[in-house]
Amino acid sequence: MPATTVHIGAGAGFAGDRPGAAVAVAEALAVASRQGIPAFLIFEMLAERTLALAQLDRRRDPATGYSANLTGLVQPVLKLCLQHNIRIIGNFGAANPQAAAHHLRVLAQDLGFRDAKIAVVTGDDLSARLTPADLTARETDGALLKDRKDIVAANAYLGAQPIAQALEAGADIVVTGRVADPALVLGPLAHAFGWSWDDWDRLAAGTLVGHLLECGPQVSGGYFADPGCKDAPDLDRLGYPIAEVQADGKAVITKPAGSGGVVDLRTVKEQVLYEIHDPAAYLTPDVILDLTEVELAQQGPDRVRVTGARGHARPATLKATVCFEAGWFAEAEISYAGPNATARARLAIDIIRKRMAVLQPDLSIRADIIGVVSSFGDSAGHDLAAATTEADDLRVRFATRHTDADVAKLLLAEVEALYVAGPAGGGGVRRHLVPQLASASCLIERDLVSPSVELAP
Amino acid sequence: MSDIQLHRIAHARSGDKGNRLNIALICYRPEFFDIVAQQVTTERVAELFSSRKVGRVQRYELPKLWAFNFVLDHVLDGGVNASLGLDGHGKTLSFKLLTLPVSLPASLLQSLLTDQS
């Protein structure tokens, strides 16, 4: 029989999220589960490039390629979840969901759960199905992929259906690679409520709940505090969000009792619009979500009711992200402090620009003075040139990128040489050189993508 | 009318998709919605981000949330994969938008001061 209410929590909003944060959420979900309310815990751990980095790991070692943080984030709640029938859904499978499932199997066995059902969703990886030329023909902006030989990963964003299918097969844990982030929530909701895959308003409501939970605590007071203007208490023990969802799609966003953070109209509004383009048409694999009639109401402390999501028929195509190698990124910093620090920092930039103009005239170099203009500034340096701010404890930062590591390293050597050949009192040089991945977006016909669900051995 | 920073009457959050930035701008109170609608125009936002070679600026209105969504093309120096900047995602840029001056009628300004006393 379909459920009337479902509780679903978020244990992570990105790959580097806070270890142990999911424990309080799982404890609250366990209470619900004991009352017979279906309970789910999601882990969203794949940013755009995370999957390509995982693919590189897998090339080096075929047993890897899933989220490196799997143990750190899931292990602390695994026993509680398996004991209390809190079903886990996570995209921590990244480039190797089977290996992640194997790892989870070992973790579960170590805790004494020999027969945990672990399902694996695959089919997002397009690299065997589509050539670079196929992908180029489907690119949405520009032709970044034309003639590329260095594509690292090509993955379509799968929807919620294979996740729901895995849950119908009885999975305690569903491991996915690339799926649309809200699908991690829509899958369990559609499964528990028996929603039909063309019930656009309900799919939209579930997608909105997913959108609100997918970044973890960003809806419950994280990434929000602006002291004195809008405060969120006790962020050191921030409560990750829980949604209490009804069969008609109406939901309340809340968080574990006694945890830090806050759920109010302001925190929820900020997350409703997070990473949105046209609020009337947020495209997902399952539905087009219209946010324009969404209404929020504070129901009590840390409880916000969310209604009014509307849906339209799902798009004909699926989005895919294609990552390719993009050379080397070099970054170096040096500090200047005390009297006349700003002038010395500016002199350092002038020296480096003149040196590099001779050594590698075509290389574009960015320079920032952290403390004067950096985050807000432009790469051409107009904002920094115009700035009149004087400060006395500054850090000068240089960055460049090139396909050849040796060329990028020229900048690093020049910045280090400022120690003896630059302005007075420069100190604390730090330098690093890292390989870069870039990405392009494609739209892929649905019939070229076949999601598959299987129970892991 | 008195000039204040947008930061006094609204809060904001940035998100990125490639080389495109969105900034959700949310009024603290419904009575600020019209002021923002009139004064925080796409032209002024484009001007604020002009040094970053911003392309098209679009503004969507969400009156039920007392909010606006600004979408700025080409403002991220290529986006997180290509930018040479410290903040390739443009996460800090929500607070750049909040530096924009807006004029507030004396009555509303007075209530703002009362709020914060």
Side-chain angles (χ1 to χ4, degrees), chain A residues 202-448:
Chain A
R202 283 190 185 158
L203 297 179
T207 297
L208 174 55
V209 176
H211 175 65
L212 291 173
L213 295 190
E214 74 184 44
C215 295
Q218 280 197 184
V219 73
S220 53
Y223 208 64
F224 174 79
D226 186 4
C229 301
K230 53 185 174 92
D231 291 295
D234 303 319
L235 291 178
D236 54 298
R237 46 186 197 83
L238 178 56
Y240 280 41
I242 295 170
E244 302 172 3
V245 190
Q246 293 170 250
D248 61 6
K250 294 192 178 83
V252 169
I253 304 294
T254 182
K255 66 184 185 69
S259 61
V262 58
V263 180
D264 67 15
L265 298 182
R266 302 168 305 171
T267 67
V268 179
K269 283 177 187 178
E270 286 194 14
Q271 199 56 21
V272 166
L273 291 171
Y274 183 65
E275 290 181 345
I276 294 292
H277 182 178
D278 178 357
Y282 178 55
L283 273 52
T284 78
D286 299 296
V287 63
I288 296 176
L289 167 61
D290 178 352
L291 297 162
T292 53
E293 297 296 318
V294 167
E295 291 194 56
L296 306 176
Q298 189 88 41
Q299 264 203 335
D302 297 317
R303 291 181 66 82
V304 170
R305 187 173 170 81
V306 183
T307 54
R310 292 185 305 184
H312 306 292
R314 67 184 199 178
T317 49
L318 294 175
K319 185 184 157 184
T321 294
V322 182
C323 284
F324 52 90
E325 290 175 19
W328 296 85
F329 177 72
E331 190 174 39
E333 295 177 358
I334 184 167
S335 287
Y336 296 92
N340 214 22
T342 314
R344 286 180 284 132
R346 288 188 182 276
L347 176 58
I349 293 173
D350 185 51
I351 294 165
I352 293 293
R353 288 209 182 278
K354 284 178 176 157
R355 292 284 303 167
M356 294 305 295
V358 173
L359 289 168
Q360 199 70 35
D362 296 335
L363 193 65
S364 105
I365 309 282
R366 174 161 172 151
D368 296 293
I369 302 179
I370 298 169
V372 175
V373 174
S374 56
S375 305
F376 283 176
D378 60 300
S379 282
H382 298 306
D383 290 334
L384 183 57
T388 54
T389 313
E390 296 273 330
D392 64 3
D393 196 333
L394 298 170
R395 197 144 173 86
V396 185
R397 168 193 178 265
F398 300 93
T400 192
R401 173 184 284 104
H402 199 270
T403 48
D404 182 346
D406 288 336
V407 172
K409 275 186 203 163
L410 290 172
L411 173 67
L412 304 185
E414 287 299 325
V415 175
E416 182 150 46
L418 290 174
Y419 263 144
V420 295
V429 172
R430 300 275 189 280
R431 349 177 303 164
H432 70 267
L433 180 72
V434 288
Q436 281 285 283
L437 291 166
S439 65
S441 291
C442 300
L443 290 175
I444 311 289
E445 303 90 304
R446 283 179 185 269
D447 57 5
L448 293 176

Side-chain angles (χ1 to χ4, degrees), chain A residues 5 11 25 46 51 70 74 76 92 104 113 154 178 274 295 363 413:
Chain A
T5 303
V25 175
L46 276 186
L51 205 149
L70 178 61
V74 179
F92 34 57
L104 285 162
F113 295 91
R178 179 66 82 198
Y274 183 65
E295 291 194 56
L363 193 65

Side-chain angles (χ1 to χ4, degrees), chain B residues 39-96:
Chain B
Q39 298 185 35
V40 187
T41 58
T42 55
E43 291 77 13
R44 286 190 74 201
V45 173
E47 172 59 28
L48 183 67
F49 287 92
S50 60
S51 73
R52 299 179 65 106
K53 305 253 186 329
V54 65
R56 181 177 58 160
V57 176
Q58 292 166 275
R59 186 181 85 172
Y60 298 93
E61 300 185 5
L62 295 121
K64 292 195 171 178
L65 302 180
W66 321 336
F68 299 82
N69 191 37
F70 287 90
V71 179
L72 288 70
D73 288 353
H74 309 303
V75 75
L76 294 180
D77 192 24
V80 67
N81 295 321
S83 168
L84 292 178
L86 274 166
D87 174 22
H89 294 99
K91 290 195 174 262
T92 59
L93 296 179
S94 53
F95 279 83
K96 185 172 173 80

